[in-house]
Structure formats: structure tokens, C-alpha cells
Amino acid sequence: MRIAFLGKGGAGKTTTAAGFVKYAASKHPFVLAVDADVNAHLKSALSFNGEAKQLGLHFDEITEFLRGKREDLGTRPIIGTTPPSAKSNFITVNANDPFVSKYGLKQGNITLLTVGTYQQEDVGGSCYHEKLKSLAGIFHHMLDTDNDIVIADTTAGTDNVATSLSFAYDLNVFVLEPTEKSVQVYLDYKAIAGDLASRTYVIGNKVDGQDDAEFIQGLVGKDRYLGSIPFSRNLKSFEQGEEEAINDFHGEQATAFTELHKKLVASKRDWQQYLDRLHSTYKWDCERWYSDFYGCDMLEGIDKSFRYENALAQWCPQAKVAALV
Ligand SMILES: Nc1ncnc2c1ncn2[C@@H]1O[C@H](COP(=O)(O)OP(=O)(O)OP(=O)(O)O)[C@@H](O)[C@H]1O
Ligand SMILES: [Mg+2]
């Protein structure tokens, strides 16, 4: 199960994602947190120590790992949207998974993966989609089961729809402040997201009373609204150095998180639909750009016999997913 926190800049995505990581970690044996924002703040919001490896800097190394024992690709490179084959390497959601333990920063039962930020050589010539390519490859080779929890903090705005990460999450949650501008980001997303909108919900943040909650509900619809997190004096006290105040803030987030958690555990991924989307995105990428760029027919690199269900049965037998014949 994968959930992404989205919304306008400054709405509280990172604060809410970090709170939900802690909430989920109190209910599940393991949580994989993902900082998918180039302005990486999830590590500090989780109060993690140590240096996080930046996935965006290790694209070649990561794609070579994902390639595994594939011979069907020949010399074709792996791009962010390359669909897996049965001979690929996969990533499972636990602290001992070789990929997770190599690239993740672990604290207690939470491991954090970080896309990472720009380097000096990126100045003036790099786009953050370049950084997100590694994460796309990782998600498309991730075999998370219905018991696994993956929580991502994302970049501000509606940009999520513009990459294959748009369908990588089972649940999208917009963190909205009770202002027109903040809600508009969700409405803009909804207008273009197609069927992804049906797995997208809203949490009100910095909500000051019932009027604020009703303001957001009036614009997004009650059926999309999972709950409110108040404008918190406790969070401010925490940010001013009063460490214990964070527990009181987590208490203020708990009601909304209970509803969110219910939605998340009830979500079921349609692996076939996921694979179909990945195939069409890969095809689109290759036809528009990559086949010309690499001077080869990249589409020949699709293993049409691959099914995620079979990989799950092999790599995660505890998930009890029946292999397809
Ligand atoms: N419920 C809340 N009550 C009071 N302040 C809050 C609340 N939630 C977030 N904030 C404050 O709002 C500011 C922005 O929060 P945060 O960094 O989580 O937003 P963001 O959406 O991740 O921003 P960015 O778009 O820069 O990534 C921070 O100073 C944070 O402390
Ligand atoms: Mg943030």
C-alpha cells in the first residue's frame, strides 16, 4: 500500500506526512517513508539523524540493480518507466531488503528513502523529473503487499500527474489549508487526473474551527474530506525547542489519521491495471524520445509475459498472492 501527500507549497505536506509515518509506525511492524521532494525536509521532520543517500545521484547504479539477470534487454538502457521482467531484481518492503538497507536511513521500525536535491552541476540545466526517475524505477519494481506501508512526501503543486509516479500510489492525499488558493491546487489536479481522482482524498490542515472545515468541504465535497488537523500551538512550541510538544501535536493529528489509515488499508491495487499503465507510459516515452535518443527500438525491451502477481508469489510468498498461469 502506497500513499502520497500532495498539495500547495507550505500547506503542510511534510509535517502531515511525517506525522502519518509516526502514526503508521505505531500500528505496523515496518514503515517505508519516501522523501520524493527535491526540497528534502522529511528527514528533519522525522527527527532522523545521519546522512541519507540521495537516490537521484545513483540512477545508473539503481537501474543496473533493477536490471537483475535480464537478457531480453540486450544493451538497451533501463529508464524510469521500463516495465520489469521475471528476471528483474525487485524491492520488497522490509528493513532487511538488500535495496532498502543499502539506500535507506533506518531509525526504529522506519526506513527513509530520499530522492535528494540538486548538485552544483545541476544549476541552470536540470529538471527535478531527472531526480524522480530513480524513484519511478524503484516504485515500478517494488513488490509491496497489502500489509506493507509506504508513505511519500511529494513536491508542491499538481506536478505528480506529469510523471509515471501519478499511478504509483494507491492513495493520494491533498493537504489543504482553508484558503481558496490552497483548495484550487486540488481542484486543478482533479480536473485533469481522470480516474486517479477516485483514489484521491483531502485533509484540512491549519484548520481553525468548524467554519474552516466547512469551507474546504464546500469546495471539495464531503465525500472526499477525511478530517481536519487544527492550527497547532503545540507544533510551534515544538519548533521553538519544546521537544515534548510534538506528542501533543500528534494527538491533534490522530482523528484525521485514523480515517486516513482506514482508507489506506482498505485500498487494493489492481496489478494488471498498474502494468497496463506502465506499458503505455513506457511506450509513450520511447516513441517520443528514448528510441531516437538511444538509436534503438526500446519497445523491444518489453517482456510481455511478465505479471506482477507471479513476481509477488515468488518474492513475497507470505503475501499469498496466487501466481497466474
Ligand atoms: N497543523 C499545523 N499548525 C500550525 N502550523 C503548521 C501546521 N502544519 C504545518 N505547519 C507549519 O507550516 C509550515 C509549512 O509546513 P510544511 O513544511 O509541512 O509544508 P509543505 O507543504 O511540506 O511545504 P513545501 O511545499 O515547502 O514542501 C511549517 O512552518 C509548519 O510548521
Ligand atoms: Mg515539504
Side-chain angles (χ1 to χ4, degrees):
M1 289 174 288
R2 307 175 196 166
I3 178 171
F5 285 85
L6 300 101
K8 188 176 177 313
K13 298 177 291 297
T14 304
T15 305
T16 312
F20 193 62
V21 167
K22 293 265 175 77
Y23 177 90
S26 71
K27 299 205 166 303
H28 297 266
F30 178 71
V31 174
L32 185 62
V34 179
D35 193 339
D37 190 353
V38 278
N39 301 304
H41 295 134
L42 191 57
K43 188 184 106 177
S44 61
L46 287 168
S47 307
F48 269 34
N49 301 314
E51 204 54 48
K53 279 208 175 79
Q54 300 192 29
L55 301 172
L57 292 182
H58 298 283
F59 182 73
D60 292 343
E61 190 181 287
I62 290 169
T63 49
E64 272 323 291
F65 168 79
L66 299 176
R67 181 185 289 271
K69 297 193 172 66
R70 291 186 74 164
E71 282 159 11
D72 58 321
L73 284 177
T75 55
R76 284 180 199 85
I78 289 195
I79 61 173
T81 51
T82 302
S85 104
K87 297 213 171 139
S88 301
N89 267 330
F90 291 92
I91 296 159
T92 59
V93 180
N94 64 77
N96 300 323
D97 175 89
F99 184 92
V100 171
S101 61
K102 179 171 180 187
Y103 291 99
L105 190 60
K106 181 175 181 301
Q107 205 156 292
N109 63 338
I110 303 167
T111 295
L112 172 68
L113 293 176
T114 304
V115 163
T117 190
Y118 299 114
Q119 306 301 302
Q120 207 168 5
E121 58 270 25
D122 295 326
V123 173
S126 187
C127 158
Y128 67 87
H129 289 175
E130 280 298 306
K131 304 279 167 204
L132 292 175
K133 276 190 324 191
S134 299
L135 185 62
I138 291 164
F139 272 136
H140 303 325
H141 289 73
M142 184 179 281
L143 297 173
D144 48 324
T145 72
D146 288 346
N147 295 320
D148 296 324
I149 304 276
V150 183
I151 299 171
D153 179 25
T154 73
T155 46
T158 51
D159 192 79
N160 166 283
V161 285
T163 73
S164 67
L165 290 172
S166 57
F167 58 86
Y169 303 106
D170 304 299
L171 206 64
N172 298 308
V173 178
F174 272 80
V175 177
L176 301 185
E177 291 173 276
T179 66
E180 278 180 357
K181 278 188 186 153
S182 193
V183 177
Q184 193 59 45
V185 175
Y186 164 74
L187 296 175
D188 290 346
Y189 170 88
K190 196 179 143 206
I192 52 171
D195 67 311
L196 295 173
S198 66
R199 50 169 121 152
T200 304
Y201 291 86
V202 161
I203 277 188
N205 190 37
K206 309 185 195 179
V207 168
D208 185 9
Q210 191 54 26
D211 286 354
D212 275 356
E214 284 172 10
F215 172 80
I216 301 175
Q217 284 169 3
L219 294 169
V220 305
K222 279 194 174 164
D223 62 322
R224 293 288 115 187
Y225 195 82
L226 294 181
S228 309
I229 297 168
F231 192 97
S232 175
R233 175 65 230 178
N234 289 314
L235 180 60
K236 199 177 208 183
S237 302
F238 171 70
E239 289 178 346
Q240 290 171 342
E242 222 182 281
E243 301 246 318
E244 297 78 47
I246 195 68
N247 297 324
D248 295 327
F249 178 54
H250 287 154
E252 293 176 305
Q253 294 174 307
T255 310
F257 285 170
T258 304
E259 290 311 307
L260 186 53
H261 184 256
K262 272 192 218 156
K263 278 276 178 252
L264 182 60
V265 296
S267 66
K268 290 271 172 279
R269 184 169 320 142
D270 181 337
W271 281 107
Q272 189 55 50
Q273 187 195 55
Y274 191 106
L275 188 62
D276 291 344
R277 280 187 195 262
L278 187 55
H279 278 173
S280 53
T281 312
Y282 179 68
K283 196 163 171 272
W284 193 83
D285 281 348
C286 293
E287 285 172 354
R288 274 186 43 133
W289 168 250
Y290 283 103
S291 288
D292 274 354
F293 184 75
Y294 289 116
C296 61
D297 184 356
M298 292 281 285
L299 287 179
E300 279 177 22
I302 289 189
D303 173 0
K304 294 203 179 79
S305 67
F306 173 74
R307 294 288 176 275
Y308 277 111
E309 290 85 346
N310 295 350
L312 269 161
Q314 186 191 337
W315 286 67
C316 309
Q318 79 286 2
K320 298 194 171 59
V321 174
L324 304 175
V325 280

